[in-house]
Amino acid sequence: MTEISDKKKLPAAVERFILHWGDMGDEWGVNRSVSQIHGLLYLSEAPITADDIADTLGMARSNVSNSIKELLAWNLIRRVPIMGDRRDHYEAETDIWEVAARIAAGRKVREIDPAVEALRACVVDAADDPTISPVASKRLREMLTFTELVDRGSAAEADCPDKTRRKDRQLPAGWEIQVGHRTAGAHDGVAKQDLQISRNAEFR
């Protein structure tokens, strides 16, 4: 966790959250500055300008501008007009379920969709290639099946309009979600941030 330097003074808890949010984004492959700006906007009580962001976080104006463009592309923030002020102001989506859904939708487009397309092509090529081993062909099909499962889950999360129903999602028969020391089966479909998806032993 790196301290924000040359900045406006922030409450300790706010600064800690912004720094941690930046670290988390870095772990997920998102630019640290992008994540920190999102964290600041998420906690801001009112829309703020790019200059405000640069001054508060001690970032270069060009860095802030590029980061804002990326956050707008992810649909995590929006421009807000302010009467009597010609500058662009920005605010973040604060519904955490909506934030999660938009991040899931963005990652699906950037990561899962290309993976599914590549794996489908690999499976087709393997089926027509007599030199490929049965083991390699089987593992490609299994990887495709799993990736398509993740793809369907991501699509359902992004498209579900009723947030109260998300906890009732079901997995296909034979799959389970493991959350810490607790196991949630296909009939109660618990969704948590830290989870593992695996097949039940009887279906392996």
Side-chain angles (χ1 to χ4, degrees):
M1 188 176 294
T2 305
E3 183 180 358
I4 300 172
S5 59
D6 300 327
K7 57 174 177 56
K8 291 181 178 179
K9 183 65 176 177
L10 291 168
V14 172
E15 179 168 332
R16 184 177 182 84
F17 171 79
I18 291 171
L19 291 171
H20 182 65
W21 202 241
D23 288 344
M24 288 177 61
D26 199 37
E27 292 292 330
W28 295 339
V30 179
N31 182 278
R32 186 187 300 268
S33 296
V34 173
S35 299
Q36 287 185 351
I37 291 172
H38 181 246
L40 173 64
L41 290 172
Y42 181 75
L43 295 185
S44 294
E45 297 180 8
I48 58 178
T49 67
D51 288 334
D52 293 331
I53 295 170
D55 291 342
T56 301
L57 298 181
M59 292 182 182
R61 182 64 173 77
S62 58
N63 189 11
V64 171
S65 179
N66 291 331
S67 298
I68 285 174
K69 290 177 182 178
E70 185 166 347
L71 288 167
L72 288 169
W74 279 85
N75 199 26
L76 293 175
I77 67 172
R78 52 185 166 265
R79 290 186 180 89
V80 179
I82 301 296
M83 184 72 71
D85 194 333
R86 298 178 61 183
R87 297 175 301 172
D88 287 331
H89 289 68
Y90 302 92
E91 66 179 8
E93 173 59 57
T94 56
D95 183 326
I96 195 61
W97 277 109
E98 190 62 35
V99 171
R102 293 180 186 183
I103 291 175
R107 295 189 74 98
K108 170 176 159 55
V109 171
R110 291 166 174 80
E111 301 170 15
I112 300 177
D113 289 352
V116 170
E117 182 178 354
L119 284 167
R120 285 173 177 167
C122 289
V123 168
V124 171
D125 291 343
D128 296 332
D129 187 352
T131 65
I132 194 168
S133 72
V135 172
S137 183
K138 176 176 179 290
R139 289 175 181 172
L140 282 171
R141 292 194 302 271
E142 289 176 345
M143 179 63 75
L144 175 59
T145 297
F146 175 80
T147 307
E148 287 177 333
L149 172 66
V150 174
D151 182 35
R152 290 195 297 272
S154 297
E157 182 66 28
D159 295 339
C160 180
D162 185 354
K163 302 178 181 62
T164 63
R165 295 176 56 195
R166 289 178 180 166
K167 63 179 182 298
D168 297 325
R169 299 256 170 75
Q170 292 186 353
L171 294 173
W175 291 85
E176 64 183 10
I177 295 177
Q178 295 179 335
V179 185
H181 297 295
R182 175 183 176 185
T183 298
H187 294 293
D188 52 14
V190 177
K192 297 289 183 183
Q193 180 179 2
D194 296 322
L195 53 81
Q196 294 180 343
I197 303 176
S198 60
R199 300 200 71 178
N200 291 328
E202 61 268 28
F203 287 87
R204 290 174 185 161

